Amino acid sequence: NQATDRAHRLGQDKPVFVYKLVTEQTVEERILTMQERKRALAAGVYQESEGEQEPRLSGHDLQELFAPFGER
């Protein structure tokens, strides 16, 4: 993400293309998957929507957050 941010610095007047290549079944792939889940969870917690009846943070989400490492 730092490299991507640097490529899009203020004052950049030329188009910038960033390609992220991730090999399947690697630690990096697992980390990216966890980051996506965390972003979605945070968005669900902080997002305000009118008329929403379901809790934004489910019991399953809480169990995953507080589960010992390796039991997810």
Side-chain angles (χ1 to χ4, degrees), residues 6 9 19 53:
R6 271 189 237 114
R9 280 195 178 137
Y19 297 97
Q53 300 298 321

Side-chain angles (χ1 to χ4, degrees), residues 19-55:
Y19 297 97
K20 293 183 182 185
L21 304 174
V22 179
T23 306
E24 290 182 348
Q25 298 179 356
T26 61
V27 172
E28 184 180 16
E29 180 185 37
R30 291 184 68 197
I31 289 171
L32 290 174
T33 301
M34 287 190 307
Q35 288 174 339
E36 288 171 16
R37 284 194 353 242
K38 284 173 57 178
R39 271 190 220 101
L41 180 61
V45 170
Y46 294 117
Q47 217 172 38
E48 291 184 27
S49 50
E50 296 177 25
E52 187 175 309
Q53 300 298 321
E54 293 183 30

